[in-house]
Amino acid sequence: MTDVPVTFTAADLQAVRTGTSRPLLLTDATVHTLDPVIGTMKHADVLIGGGLVVGVGPGIVRAADDDGAVVVSATGTTIVPAILDLSAALTGRPRGEGPGTLGPGAPAHLVVLADTDAPDLDAALRIALTGPDRLRAVLRDGVPLVWDGTVLNPASQPGATTGTDGGGAGHIDPERVGVWVDTEDFLHQELTADGRYDETRGGRPHAFQGRYWIDGDRIDYLDDLGFWAFGRFDGDTLHHAGYTMHRRHAR
């Protein structure tokens, strides 16, 4: 019986977290780059720096010491892009621009699976899409989100309740609680201190109601009807669904 290589260990994760200013090198993996020129490579290394794929292919590990890279063994694993861009595949795009490949210059969004789950590209993509419990690792912009099969950053916002029943409170920012009004005075959106929102549209009260979460300058909405929406803050301005809003007291 062949021993399963030990990869993506707790010690590896600690090294990655403490070495954020250093390049990250994943070594000795099968890499499906989806780059039309590079294709698939066996026993390949993926070098990540500044949130981008800097290099891909065999032999990069030789320069790891010179570059001060954090080296993580990926022996026995397969790496694929975490984001698939069908529009780029169908219409073409200059290489290295935008997500969708693991070619040099592309964002370092990637998924790592065990070789046993990914005998070919089709199987790898199928497991990546349908088997989240079987992912060895997931990186976004080179930052680990999943490691050794464990989710490091839950999808729910910090401090938020879980579930999609429309009840409970979201993650709030006290500085943004209040009534936001668009420039045409059509949309009034109240963000309350209990993590709920209530919209008045064209004088019609309670047109939409639900929960909201704020993370930095982003706000996500889960309406009581079950749909999701989002907006972004820019200083004292809130941009949402084509509306530009300001807090009532600031107008």
Side-chain angles (χ1 to χ4, degrees):
M1 182 177 178
T2 303
D3 292 335
V4 177
V6 178
T7 59
F8 298 93
T9 66
D12 290 334
L13 178 59
Q14 180 63 21
V16 172
R17 284 176 161 172
T18 58
T20 54
S21 63
R22 299 162 58 191
L24 171 61
L25 184 65
L26 307 180
T27 68
D28 194 32
T30 296
V31 182
H32 296 289
T33 69
L34 273 67
D35 182 292
V37 174
I38 301 173
T40 295
M41 309 183 80
K42 302 282 189 178
H43 302 290
D45 308 328
V46 178
L47 180 62
I48 298 169
L52 301 176
V53 176
V54 177
V56 60
I60 298 178
V61 70
R62 293 183 181 180
D65 288 340
D66 297 338
D67 297 337
V70 175
V71 179
V72 174
S73 172
T75 300
T77 71
T78 293
I79 301 176
V80 297
I83 296 177
L84 303 179
D85 187 345
L86 293 180
S87 66
L90 294 172
T91 64
R93 171 189 283 161
R95 294 177 60 233
E97 293 186 8
T101 77
L102 292 180
H109 309 323
L110 56 89
V111 171
V112 183
L113 309 103
D115 280 346
T116 52
D117 282 333
D120 53 40
L121 176 59
D122 288 346
L125 295 179
R126 183 169 60 253
I127 293 298
L129 291 170
T130 64
D133 57 322
R134 294 159 73 177
L135 305 182
R136 298 289 296 119
V138 176
L139 280 70
R140 181 174 63 198
D141 295 318
V143 177
L145 302 182
V146 174
W147 198 266
D148 192 23
T150 300
V151 177
L152 304 179
N153 293 341
S156 59
Q157 302 292 348
T161 58
T162 59
T164 58
D165 59 0
H171 184 90
I172 67 170
D173 179 348
E175 297 298 320
R176 286 161 172 162
V177 167
V179 177
W180 295 76
V181 182
D182 83 295
T183 54
E184 303 299 323
D185 201 32
F186 173 83
L187 175 65
H188 294 208
Q189 184 181 92
E190 182 179 8
L191 305 180
T192 63
D194 61 356
R196 300 276 299 174
Y197 70 90
D198 189 346
E199 285 190 4
T200 297
R201 288 173 170 255
R204 178 166 56 96
H206 315 308
F208 293 106
Q209 296 173 295
R211 296 156 58 190
Y212 73 87
W213 292 260
I214 293 178
D215 183 10
D217 289 331
R218 179 183 173 110
I219 179 169
D220 286 275
Y221 307 90
L222 174 56
D223 194 82
D224 289 346
L225 295 175
F227 68 83
W228 290 83
F230 88 106
R232 290 197 180 278
F233 294 97
D234 181 9
D236 293 329
T237 302
L238 170 57
H239 301 280
H240 164 64
Y243 295 95
T244 299
M245 296 183 283
H246 302 274
R247 266 203 301 194
R248 177 177 284 160
H249 67 74
R251 298 177 75 238

